[in-house]
Amino acid sequence: MRISSLFLIALVILMVGCIGQEQTTTPSKFGEIDLKVELHYDKNNQYLARIEVTNIGNKTIRVARPIYFITVKYRLLKGNEELEFMGRVPTYLPLGNESVVDLKPGDSMSTEYRIDLCWWNVTKGEKYRLEVIYDTRGVASKDIDFWRGILKKEFEVEAKESCQSSR
């Protein structure tokens, strides 16, 4: 009888201890995020893009940082035809903890990148459709789970100058 009483007391202490502990939540890969992009013409056919990812859901969500040509890509179209990209594309290792952020509801993160229309073969005075794409679907990671999906914004842009072959 004495062993069962000790067992019962130990069980009650254990349960009370667990109830009193603060619970932590693991950020979810499922959630709602929004992509905002502000695009401003700078000079020499270059645009400055401010890219912001915001958690618009009601749970904390882990997202990959907007990283040039890893999670953020660009497409330039003339009508319905995509122009060939001739800019540099980096190689990268799978994303680690430094490349993801846990966003609480309402939180956002942002970064800025320069987009050069001379990465494509553009003609001075012509108008194009630029797509800024946040795409995490095929991004490799070091066993880190984060939101997977694609969001994009479109802009009409104009080649205001001729591109020089040296760029």
Side-chain angles (χ1 to χ4, degrees):
M1 186 80 170
R2 186 170 192 199
I3 293 176
S4 62
S5 296
L6 288 175
F7 178 73
L8 183 58
I9 291 171
L11 185 60
V12 168
I13 290 171
L14 181 64
M15 288 176 57
V16 169
C18 289
I19 292 170
Q21 290 181 353
E22 181 180 328
Q23 292 188 353
T24 58
T25 57
T26 303
S28 171
K29 67 178 178 175
F30 303 105
E32 297 178 66
I33 65 171
D34 184 41
L35 176 68
K36 293 180 184 166
V37 179
E38 293 176 11
L39 194 67
H40 302 285
Y41 183 78
D42 189 21
K43 59 183 177 181
N44 300 327
N45 283 340
Q46 295 180 12
Y47 288 81
L48 188 60
R50 182 176 185 279
I51 300 163
E52 180 177 89
V53 176
T54 303
N55 179 354
I56 59 171
N58 56 8
K59 294 182 181 179
T60 298
I61 183 169
R62 178 169 291 141
V63 296
R65 292 184 184 277
I67 304 169
Y68 171 79
F69 257 92
I70 297 170
T71 58
V72 174
K73 298 178 176 128
Y74 313 104
R75 286 178 23 150
L76 193 67
L77 298 102
K78 178 71 176 159
N80 291 326
E81 180 184 340
E82 182 178 355
L83 280 73
E84 179 185 356
F85 180 80
M86 297 179 292
R88 296 180 185 145
V89 178
T91 57
Y92 72 100
L93 297 172
L95 299 185
N97 285 325
E98 69 284 352
S99 301
V100 297
V101 175
D102 295 337
L103 294 179
K104 294 178 181 172
D107 284 355
S108 62
M109 65 176 164
S110 64
T111 190
E112 291 183 350
Y113 288 110
R114 189 168 302 280
I115 303 170
D116 191 339
L117 294 185
C118 292
W119 292 338
W120 297 271
N121 187 18
V122 296
T123 304
K124 180 179 179 179
E126 293 287 322
K127 293 188 180 190
Y128 301 90
R129 190 172 76 240
L130 174 69
E131 292 181 350
V132 178
I133 306 163
Y134 177 74
D135 186 0
T136 61
R137 295 173 300 172
V139 175
S141 70
K142 297 177 185 173
D143 296 327
I144 298 171
D145 208 7
F146 53 87
W147 182 87
R148 300 290 184 156
I150 183 171
L151 299 169
K152 64 177 130 176
K153 297 293 181 183
E154 294 183 3
F155 299 89
E156 184 178 282
V157 294
E158 180 180 349
K160 298 184 185 231
E161 302 176 32
S162 296
C163 294
Q164 301 165 351
S165 59
S166 62
R167 285 207 289 184

